[in-house]
Amino acid sequence: MSTISRPLLRSTRAPKLIDTLTRPLYWLYERQLLQTVRAQQRLPKHIGIIMDGNRRFARSIGLDVRAGHNYGADKAREVLDWCLELGIPHVTLWGFSKDNRNRTADEVIHLHQLFAEQARELMGDERLHRNRVRVQIIGELGDFPEESREALREMEEATRDYGGMRLNVALGYGGREEIVAAIRNLLAEKQRQGVALEELARTLDAGEIGRHLYTAGMPDPDFVIRTSGEVRLSGFLLWQTAYSEFYFCDAFWPDFRKIDFLRALRHFQARERRFGR
């Protein structure tokens, strides 16, 4: 597979850059935010991120939408570094939804290639192995090309025994479909055990369904960030986000800065989590 270029098309406008004169001020502000967030010692145990706005970012600077996905993939690696720096133990990144399959064939093909490329690059990334990051793909990959599925499987297998950060990458993911799959698997399990339907109906509880979700064995996300200004979940981890705190950021995903990330965390730390009490 050929390497995907960044960008695919050259823009007649330069991407937004922080002015040279203001760069030191941003650096000082970022440093201050980082110290403030660390001092609180109250960080999320599981962050979910809806990485939205790649296409709009590309269009805003005159690039092909596929270039936006390239920039978005680079941003995901950058944000992973920020999470490692702060010791966030669980991260779920939503990169491709079930509904995204309905986009143009060229865009979908490009995304499949990009996922395979990113998987191979991650496997060769010393930071992944040094921090013992375990990567798990969640979603339905049945209609992905074999090349993409194989690269993603190899990445999962290469990190299967790692005990550091747990990183979920949601591809071909839909929240309703996850719940349906969990219930189907639960029913199949009970059938193998010889449990009658009447008994299952009487004893079934949320915990049993939770054991069959993609995120089984992980804490539910306590904090969810969505970029691009959209104020909705679009089906992201529907079951698991019942008590999550949410933060909606206006920046397109490729424009999401460390300052934006730290502001979001500071916002989380200021909230009182009640869990219905």
PDB file of all heavy atoms in Angstrom, residues 101-123:
ATOM      1  N   ARG A 101     -19.981   4.990   6.665  1.00  0.00           N
ATOM      2  CA  ARG A 101     -19.883   4.121   5.485  1.00  0.00           C
ATOM      3  C   ARG A 101     -20.653   4.695   4.297  1.00  0.00           C
ATOM      4  O   ARG A 101     -20.429   4.301   3.154  1.00  0.00           O
ATOM      5  CB  ARG A 101     -20.443   2.732   5.813  1.00  0.00           C
ATOM      6  CG  ARG A 101     -19.673   1.950   6.856  1.00  0.00           C
ATOM      7  CD  ARG A 101     -20.286   0.572   7.021  1.00  0.00           C
ATOM      8  NE  ARG A 101     -19.530  -0.289   7.913  1.00  0.00           N
ATOM      9  CZ  ARG A 101     -19.887  -0.573   9.164  1.00  0.00           C
ATOM     10  NH1 ARG A 101     -20.995  -0.024   9.655  1.00  0.00           N
ATOM     11  NH2 ARG A 101     -19.156  -1.366   9.910  1.00  0.00           N
ATOM     12  N   ASN A 102     -21.579   5.622   4.573  1.00  0.00           N
ATOM     13  CA  ASN A 102     -22.415   6.182   3.510  1.00  0.00           C
ATOM     14  C   ASN A 102     -21.754   7.353   2.787  1.00  0.00           C
ATOM     15  O   ASN A 102     -22.370   7.950   1.896  1.00  0.00           O
ATOM     16  CB  ASN A 102     -23.753   6.646   4.096  1.00  0.00           C
ATOM     17  CG  ASN A 102     -24.541   5.501   4.703  1.00  0.00           C
ATOM     18  OD1 ASN A 102     -24.536   4.396   4.166  1.00  0.00           O
ATOM     19  ND2 ASN A 102     -25.208   5.754   5.820  1.00  0.00           N
ATOM     20  N   ARG A 103     -20.526   7.690   3.146  1.00  0.00           N
ATOM     21  CA  ARG A 103     -19.827   8.768   2.458  1.00  0.00           C
ATOM     22  C   ARG A 103     -19.351   8.285   1.088  1.00  0.00           C
ATOM     23  O   ARG A 103     -19.513   7.120   0.743  1.00  0.00           O
ATOM     24  CB  ARG A 103     -18.662   9.257   3.316  1.00  0.00           C
ATOM     25  CG  ARG A 103     -19.142   9.941   4.594  1.00  0.00           C
ATOM     26  CD  ARG A 103     -18.018  10.425   5.453  1.00  0.00           C
ATOM     27  NE  ARG A 103     -18.510  11.151   6.617  1.00  0.00           N
ATOM     28  CZ  ARG A 103     -17.724  11.642   7.572  1.00  0.00           C
ATOM     29  NH1 ARG A 103     -16.408  11.481   7.499  1.00  0.00           N
ATOM     30  NH2 ARG A 103     -18.247  12.289   8.595  1.00  0.00           N
ATOM     31  N   THR A 104     -18.745   9.172   0.312  1.00  0.00           N
ATOM     32  CA  THR A 104     -18.326   8.802  -1.034  1.00  0.00           C
ATOM     33  C   THR A 104     -17.334   7.636  -0.991  1.00  0.00           C
ATOM     34  O   THR A 104     -16.584   7.480  -0.020  1.00  0.00           O
ATOM     35  CB  THR A 104     -17.670   9.990  -1.744  1.00  0.00           C
ATOM     36  OG1 THR A 104     -16.441  10.317  -1.083  1.00  0.00           O
ATOM     37  CG2 THR A 104     -18.593  11.196  -1.756  1.00  0.00           C
ATOM     38  N   ALA A 105     -17.335   6.849  -2.050  1.00  0.00           N
ATOM     39  CA  ALA A 105     -16.460   5.679  -2.101  1.00  0.00           C
ATOM     40  C   ALA A 105     -14.994   6.081  -1.949  1.00  0.00           C
ATOM     41  O   ALA A 105     -14.228   5.404  -1.240  1.00  0.00           O
ATOM     42  CB  ALA A 105     -16.673   4.921  -3.411  1.00  0.00           C
ATOM     43  N   ASP A 106     -14.574   7.172  -2.595  1.00  0.00           N
ATOM     44  CA  ASP A 106     -13.184   7.604  -2.507  1.00  0.00           C
ATOM     45  C   ASP A 106     -12.792   7.926  -1.072  1.00  0.00           C
ATOM     46  O   ASP A 106     -11.694   7.574  -0.615  1.00  0.00           O
ATOM     47  CB  ASP A 106     -12.948   8.845  -3.381  1.00  0.00           C
ATOM     48  CG  ASP A 106     -12.867   8.518  -4.864  1.00  0.00           C
ATOM     49  OD1 ASP A 106     -12.753   7.315  -5.188  1.00  0.00           O
ATOM     50  OD2 ASP A 106     -12.909   9.447  -5.678  1.00  0.00           O
ATOM     51  N   GLU A 107     -13.695   8.595  -0.352  1.00  0.00           N
ATOM     52  CA  GLU A 107     -13.386   8.965   1.035  1.00  0.00           C
ATOM     53  C   GLU A 107     -13.306   7.731   1.926  1.00  0.00           C
ATOM     54  O   GLU A 107     -12.403   7.612   2.758  1.00  0.00           O
ATOM     55  CB  GLU A 107     -14.435   9.942   1.570  1.00  0.00           C
ATOM     56  CG  GLU A 107     -14.126  10.449   2.971  1.00  0.00           C
ATOM     57  CD  GLU A 107     -15.147  11.452   3.479  1.00  0.00           C
ATOM     58  OE1 GLU A 107     -16.041  11.850   2.697  1.00  0.00           O
ATOM     59  OE2 GLU A 107     -15.056  11.829   4.658  1.00  0.00           O
ATOM     60  N   VAL A 108     -14.244   6.813   1.759  1.00  0.00           N
ATOM     61  CA  VAL A 108     -14.248   5.605   2.591  1.00  0.00           C
ATOM     62  C   VAL A 108     -13.012   4.752   2.312  1.00  0.00           C
ATOM     63  O   VAL A 108     -12.365   4.240   3.235  1.00  0.00           O
ATOM     64  CB  VAL A 108     -15.546   4.797   2.372  1.00  0.00           C
ATOM     65  CG1 VAL A 108     -15.479   3.452   3.084  1.00  0.00           C
ATOM     66  CG2 VAL A 108     -16.758   5.599   2.870  1.00  0.00           C
ATOM     67  N   ILE A 109     -12.668   4.599   1.033  1.00  0.00           N
ATOM     68  CA  ILE A 109     -11.458   3.839   0.681  1.00  0.00           C
ATOM     69  C   ILE A 109     -10.227   4.484   1.315  1.00  0.00           C
ATOM     70  O   ILE A 109      -9.354   3.802   1.866  1.00  0.00           O
ATOM     71  CB  ILE A 109     -11.309   3.754  -0.849  1.00  0.00           C
ATOM     72  CG1 ILE A 109     -12.376   2.829  -1.442  1.00  0.00           C
ATOM     73  CG2 ILE A 109      -9.916   3.251  -1.233  1.00  0.00           C
ATOM     74  CD1 ILE A 109     -12.464   2.884  -2.953  1.00  0.00           C
ATOM     75  N   HIS A 110     -10.162   5.806   1.240  1.00  0.00           N
ATOM     76  CA  HIS A 110      -9.029   6.514   1.828  1.00  0.00           C
ATOM     77  C   HIS A 110      -8.956   6.269   3.339  1.00  0.00           C
ATOM     78  O   HIS A 110      -7.864   6.041   3.892  1.00  0.00           O
ATOM     79  CB  HIS A 110      -9.150   8.009   1.551  1.00  0.00           C
ATOM     80  CG  HIS A 110      -8.066   8.823   2.177  1.00  0.00           C
ATOM     81  ND1 HIS A 110      -6.794   8.883   1.667  1.00  0.00           N
ATOM     82  CD2 HIS A 110      -8.058   9.598   3.292  1.00  0.00           C
ATOM     83  CE1 HIS A 110      -6.042   9.659   2.439  1.00  0.00           C
ATOM     84  NE2 HIS A 110      -6.787  10.109   3.429  1.00  0.00           N
ATOM     85  N   LEU A 111     -10.102   6.313   4.007  1.00  0.00           N
ATOM     86  CA  LEU A 111     -10.115   6.081   5.450  1.00  0.00           C
ATOM     87  C   LEU A 111      -9.652   4.666   5.792  1.00  0.00           C
ATOM     88  O   LEU A 111      -8.867   4.464   6.728  1.00  0.00           O
ATOM     89  CB  LEU A 111     -11.522   6.336   6.001  1.00  0.00           C
ATOM     90  CG  LEU A 111     -11.909   7.810   6.153  1.00  0.00           C
ATOM     91  CD1 LEU A 111     -13.408   7.960   6.346  1.00  0.00           C
ATOM     92  CD2 LEU A 111     -11.155   8.448   7.319  1.00  0.00           C
ATOM     93  N   HIS A 112     -10.125   3.679   5.049  1.00  0.00           N
ATOM     94  CA  HIS A 112      -9.673   2.307   5.290  1.00  0.00           C
ATOM     95  C   HIS A 112      -8.160   2.194   5.143  1.00  0.00           C
ATOM     96  O   HIS A 112      -7.484   1.550   5.954  1.00  0.00           O
ATOM     97  CB  HIS A 112     -10.369   1.349   4.317  1.00  0.00           C
ATOM     98  CG  HIS A 112     -11.816   1.135   4.613  1.00  0.00           C
ATOM     99  ND1 HIS A 112     -12.716   0.710   3.655  1.00  0.00           N
ATOM    100  CD2 HIS A 112     -12.542   1.294   5.754  1.00  0.00           C
ATOM    101  CE1 HIS A 112     -13.921   0.608   4.199  1.00  0.00           C
ATOM    102  NE2 HIS A 112     -13.834   0.957   5.472  1.00  0.00           N
ATOM    103  N   GLN A 113      -7.611   2.826   4.115  1.00  0.00           N
ATOM    104  CA  GLN A 113      -6.163   2.812   3.919  1.00  0.00           C
ATOM    105  C   GLN A 113      -5.452   3.535   5.061  1.00  0.00           C
ATOM    106  O   GLN A 113      -4.397   3.090   5.537  1.00  0.00           O
ATOM    107  CB  GLN A 113      -5.803   3.455   2.584  1.00  0.00           C
ATOM    108  CG  GLN A 113      -6.258   2.663   1.369  1.00  0.00           C
ATOM    109  CD  GLN A 113      -5.977   3.408   0.066  1.00  0.00           C
ATOM    110  OE1 GLN A 113      -5.760   4.622   0.068  1.00  0.00           O
ATOM    111  NE2 GLN A 113      -5.969   2.682  -1.033  1.00  0.00           N
ATOM    112  N   LEU A 114      -6.040   4.639   5.490  1.00  0.00           N
ATOM    113  CA  LEU A 114      -5.438   5.430   6.568  1.00  0.00           C
ATOM    114  C   LEU A 114      -5.399   4.635   7.869  1.00  0.00           C
ATOM    115  O   LEU A 114      -4.401   4.675   8.608  1.00  0.00           O
ATOM    116  CB  LEU A 114      -6.223   6.730   6.744  1.00  0.00           C
ATOM    117  CG  LEU A 114      -5.717   7.711   7.802  1.00  0.00           C
ATOM    118  CD1 LEU A 114      -4.302   8.167   7.484  1.00  0.00           C
ATOM    119  CD2 LEU A 114      -6.649   8.921   7.888  1.00  0.00           C
ATOM    120  N   PHE A 115      -6.471   3.895   8.160  1.00  0.00           N
ATOM    121  CA  PHE A 115      -6.489   3.090   9.389  1.00  0.00           C
ATOM    122  C   PHE A 115      -5.377   2.038   9.364  1.00  0.00           C
ATOM    123  O   PHE A 115      -4.706   1.803  10.371  1.00  0.00           O
ATOM    124  CB  PHE A 115      -7.847   2.408   9.566  1.00  0.00           C
ATOM    125  CG  PHE A 115      -9.013   3.361   9.674  1.00  0.00           C
ATOM    126  CD1 PHE A 115     -10.269   3.015   9.180  1.00  0.00           C
ATOM    127  CD2 PHE A 115      -8.859   4.613  10.248  1.00  0.00           C
ATOM    128  CE1 PHE A 115     -11.338   3.883   9.270  1.00  0.00           C
ATOM    129  CE2 PHE A 115      -9.927   5.499  10.339  1.00  0.00           C
ATOM    130  CZ  PHE A 115     -11.168   5.130   9.849  1.00  0.00           C
ATOM    131  N   ALA A 116      -5.188   1.408   8.214  1.00  0.00           N
ATOM    132  CA  ALA A 116      -4.131   0.404   8.093  1.00  0.00           C
ATOM    133  C   ALA A 116      -2.759   1.047   8.259  1.00  0.00           C
ATOM    134  O   ALA A 116      -1.884   0.510   8.954  1.00  0.00           O
ATOM    135  CB  ALA A 116      -4.236  -0.309   6.747  1.00  0.00           C
ATOM    136  N   GLU A 117      -2.569   2.188   7.641  1.00  0.00           N
ATOM    137  CA  GLU A 117      -1.289   2.885   7.745  1.00  0.00           C
ATOM    138  C   GLU A 117      -1.007   3.279   9.186  1.00  0.00           C
ATOM    139  O   GLU A 117       0.110   3.098   9.694  1.00  0.00           O
ATOM    140  CB  GLU A 117      -1.293   4.120   6.853  1.00  0.00           C
ATOM    141  CG  GLU A 117      -0.012   4.940   6.934  1.00  0.00           C
ATOM    142  CD  GLU A 117      -0.129   6.245   6.193  1.00  0.00           C
ATOM    143  OE1 GLU A 117      -0.052   6.239   4.954  1.00  0.00           O
ATOM    144  OE2 GLU A 117      -0.310   7.288   6.858  1.00  0.00           O
ATOM    145  N   GLN A 118      -2.017   3.830   9.861  1.00  0.00           N
ATOM    146  CA  GLN A 118      -1.830   4.259  11.241  1.00  0.00           C
ATOM    147  C   GLN A 118      -1.538   3.073  12.161  1.00  0.00           C
ATOM    148  O   GLN A 118      -0.729   3.178  13.093  1.00  0.00           O
ATOM    149  CB  GLN A 118      -3.070   5.012  11.727  1.00  0.00           C
ATOM    150  CG  GLN A 118      -3.228   6.399  11.142  1.00  0.00           C
ATOM    151  CD  GLN A 118      -2.142   7.345  11.606  1.00  0.00           C
ATOM    152  OE1 GLN A 118      -1.949   7.538  12.805  1.00  0.00           O
ATOM    153  NE2 GLN A 118      -1.417   7.924  10.665  1.00  0.00           N
ATOM    154  N   ALA A 119      -2.188   1.945  11.917  1.00  0.00           N
ATOM    155  CA  ALA A 119      -1.935   0.751  12.724  1.00  0.00           C
ATOM    156  C   ALA A 119      -0.482   0.322  12.586  1.00  0.00           C
ATOM    157  O   ALA A 119       0.181  -0.012  13.578  1.00  0.00           O
ATOM    158  CB  ALA A 119      -2.875  -0.378  12.314  1.00  0.00           C
ATOM    159  N   ARG A 120       0.025   0.322  11.369  1.00  0.00           N
ATOM    160  CA  ARG A 120       1.413  -0.088  11.152  1.00  0.00           C
ATOM    161  C   ARG A 120       2.388   0.906  11.782  1.00  0.00           C
ATOM    162  O   ARG A 120       3.411   0.512  12.345  1.00  0.00           O
ATOM    163  CB  ARG A 120       1.677  -0.241   9.654  1.00  0.00           C
ATOM    164  CG  ARG A 120       0.888  -1.374   9.011  1.00  0.00           C
ATOM    165  CD  ARG A 120       1.351  -1.646   7.583  1.00  0.00           C
ATOM    166  NE  ARG A 120       0.572  -2.719   6.980  1.00  0.00           N
ATOM    167  CZ  ARG A 120      -0.457  -2.538   6.176  1.00  0.00           C
ATOM    168  NH1 ARG A 120      -0.834  -1.305   5.853  1.00  0.00           N
ATOM    169  NH2 ARG A 120      -1.128  -3.565   5.677  1.00  0.00           N
ATOM    170  N   GLU A 121       2.078   2.191  11.667  1.00  0.00           N
ATOM    171  CA  GLU A 121       2.951   3.191  12.274  1.00  0.00           C
ATOM    172  C   GLU A 121       2.950   3.069  13.797  1.00  0.00           C
ATOM    173  O   GLU A 121       4.002   3.200  14.431  1.00  0.00           O
ATOM    174  CB  GLU A 121       2.511   4.595  11.852  1.00  0.00           C
ATOM    175  CG  GLU A 121       2.816   4.932  10.404  1.00  0.00           C
ATOM    176  CD  GLU A 121       2.447   6.358  10.048  1.00  0.00           C
ATOM    177  OE1 GLU A 121       2.080   7.134  10.955  1.00  0.00           O
ATOM    178  OE2 GLU A 121       2.517   6.705   8.850  1.00  0.00           O
ATOM    179  N   LEU A 122       1.781   2.822  14.376  1.00  0.00           N
ATOM    180  CA  LEU A 122       1.715   2.666  15.823  1.00  0.00           C
ATOM    181  C   LEU A 122       2.525   1.471  16.300  1.00  0.00           C
ATOM    182  O   LEU A 122       3.197   1.530  17.329  1.00  0.00           O
ATOM    183  CB  LEU A 122       0.252   2.525  16.275  1.00  0.00           C
ATOM    184  CG  LEU A 122      -0.486   3.801  16.681  1.00  0.00           C
ATOM    185  CD1 LEU A 122      -1.926   3.479  17.035  1.00  0.00           C
ATOM    186  CD2 LEU A 122       0.200   4.480  17.866  1.00  0.00           C
ATOM    187  N   MET A 123       2.454   0.378  15.557  1.00  0.00           N
ATOM    188  CA  MET A 123       3.211  -0.816  15.964  1.00  0.00           C
ATOM    189  C   MET A 123       4.711  -0.555  15.972  1.00  0.00           C
ATOM    190  O   MET A 123       5.452  -1.196  16.708  1.00  0.00           O
ATOM    191  CB  MET A 123       2.885  -1.990  15.044  1.00  0.00           C
ATOM    192  CG  MET A 123       1.576  -2.672  15.375  1.00  0.00           C
ATOM    193  SD  MET A 123       1.424  -4.281  14.569  1.00  0.00           S
ATOM    194  CE  MET A 123       1.320  -3.784  12.849  1.00  0.00           C
TER     195      MET A 123
END
